[in-house]
Amino acid sequence: MYKLLIADDEKKIREGLALLFPWSQFDIEVVGQCSNGQEVIEFLEDNEVDIVLSDIVMPKMTGIEVSKYIHENRLSVKVVLLSAFREFEYAQESLRYQVKDYVVKPTKYEELVRVFTRLKQELDEQTQAALDMHIPEESSIVDRIKRYIEEHYATACLDSIADELKMNVFYISRVFKRKTGMNIFPYLTQVRMSKACEYLQLPDIKIYEVCSLVGYTEPRSFSRAFKKQFAVTPKEFRASFGLG
């Protein structure tokens, strides 16, 4: 079953989408619901998701910003945007982040059938392509993924790992999850946070420099990930070593 995350700040809409549409007919399982874009990012950091169906206008972070995050981190997640807004600039901006489709509310049943029939076909083709490949021992694949991340944690992403292994992104994600119990992206985050701890203990390196060294472009995202991992901010962590 492909895993779908639904995001909409209106509870009735997201619950209606989750419960009233026959997702199982498309081999899709709804694995979560979020009320804003920030919740989507946090869910993606810890859970395996194949598709995000997201409203555009939401509190804290918009659907466009979620799409940008997925695109910039090269996650193997397909995005369908849902909105009552028909303005062309929304659809135009979403194309920059390779959004798969754009559905206008109130959503018609036939439109959802069209969109998710096509998405299922695309996912099926990716899965079959992975199965048709000559696949090495899965433990070896996981070891190679971990080694690559250890050596390239600042620039690593799903696409670069797949390129290194010369394998399908969809396949290596499944293998890693099956063998380790976690997704590649959270593992990459763990490695980055571990490296960040090492850098933060060096007095001559600024926090914003540590942020860049471990692969983050925005200090806020780095600080949030660090606090989630260690329950303290980078500044608090550094202070515990008597460093300013």
Side-chain angles (χ1 to χ4, degrees):
M1 298 286 282
Y2 301 117
K3 300 182 185 300
L4 170 68
L5 177 64
I6 296 175
D8 197 300
D9 59 332
E10 295 185 54
K11 184 177 180 181
K12 288 184 179 180
I13 291 179
R14 64 176 184 270
E15 289 185 348
L17 286 168
L19 299 174
L20 300 179
F21 190 73
W23 297 109
S24 60
Q25 294 183 19
F26 300 86
D27 292 332
I28 293 173
E29 172 191 10
V30 178
V31 294
Q33 298 180 38
C34 298
S35 62
N36 61 67
Q38 186 61 57
E39 289 181 6
V40 174
I41 301 304
E42 293 173 357
F43 192 94
L44 292 176
E45 288 176 346
D46 296 321
N47 299 276
E48 184 177 356
V49 174
D50 300 303
I51 309 167
V52 169
L53 174 60
S54 174
D55 190 18
I56 286 184
V57 180
M58 296 185 295
K60 297 185 179 180
M61 185 178 288
T62 69
I64 296 292
E65 290 173 311
V66 168
S67 303
K68 181 181 179 182
Y69 174 89
I70 290 171
H71 177 70
E72 290 183 344
N73 287 279
R74 300 183 183 180
L75 304 183
S76 57
V77 179
K78 301 186 185 302
V79 179
V80 177
L81 291 178
L82 179 69
S83 179
F85 291 85
R86 293 179 177 270
E87 283 86 346
F88 177 70
E89 57 265 26
Y90 280 114
Q92 188 177 44
E93 186 174 2
S94 72
L95 294 176
R96 294 168 52 192
Y97 306 121
Q98 299 180 332
V99 169
K100 287 298 177 181
D101 225 317
Y102 182 87
V103 180
V104 177
K105 293 191 293 187
T107 307
K108 295 181 180 179
Y109 178 87
E110 296 80 7
E111 182 70 359
L112 286 176
V113 169
R114 179 191 68 79
V115 170
F116 284 94
T117 296
R118 187 174 63 81
L119 270 182
K120 179 185 181 302
Q121 181 180 1
E122 187 172 330
L123 288 165
D124 285 346
E125 290 173 355
Q126 289 180 348
T127 303
Q128 189 59 50
L131 293 173
D132 289 343
M133 296 171 63
H134 177 65
I135 303 301
E137 169 64 34
E138 289 188 351
S139 295
S140 174
I141 293 173
V142 172
D143 288 343
R144 291 173 65 190
I145 292 171
K146 288 183 174 180
R147 184 166 60 251
Y148 181 84
I149 288 174
E150 285 285 343
E151 295 173 354
H152 304 88
Y153 55 87
T155 57
C157 64
L158 284 174
D159 281 349
S160 66
I161 296 169
D163 288 344
E164 174 71 15
L165 272 62
K166 296 180 172 55
M167 292 180 183
N168 181 279
V169 168
F170 192 74
Y171 178 77
I172 64 171
S173 298
R174 297 293 188 191
V175 169
F176 195 87
K177 172 71 172 181
R178 184 162 56 246
K179 299 296 287 186
T180 68
M182 69 185 303
N183 297 318
I184 293 176
F185 190 65
Y187 179 79
L188 171 60
T189 300
Q190 283 187 3
V191 172
R192 285 174 167 171
M193 294 303 102
S194 177
K195 299 296 182 181
C197 286
E198 296 177 15
Y199 285 124
L200 286 168
Q201 294 177 57
L202 302 176
D204 295 334
I205 301 180
K206 306 295 185 183
I207 291 178
Y208 73 86
E209 293 175 323
V210 175
C211 168
S212 178
L213 285 168
V214 297
Y216 285 82
T217 57
E218 296 183 0
R220 185 175 63 174
S221 296
F222 167 63
S223 183
R224 186 183 72 245
F226 191 91
K227 187 171 183 178
K228 185 175 182 179
Q229 189 80 13
F230 301 113
V232 294
T233 66
K235 185 176 181 179
E236 290 168 341
F237 177 85
R238 171 163 274 184
S240 70
F241 291 90
L243 302 174

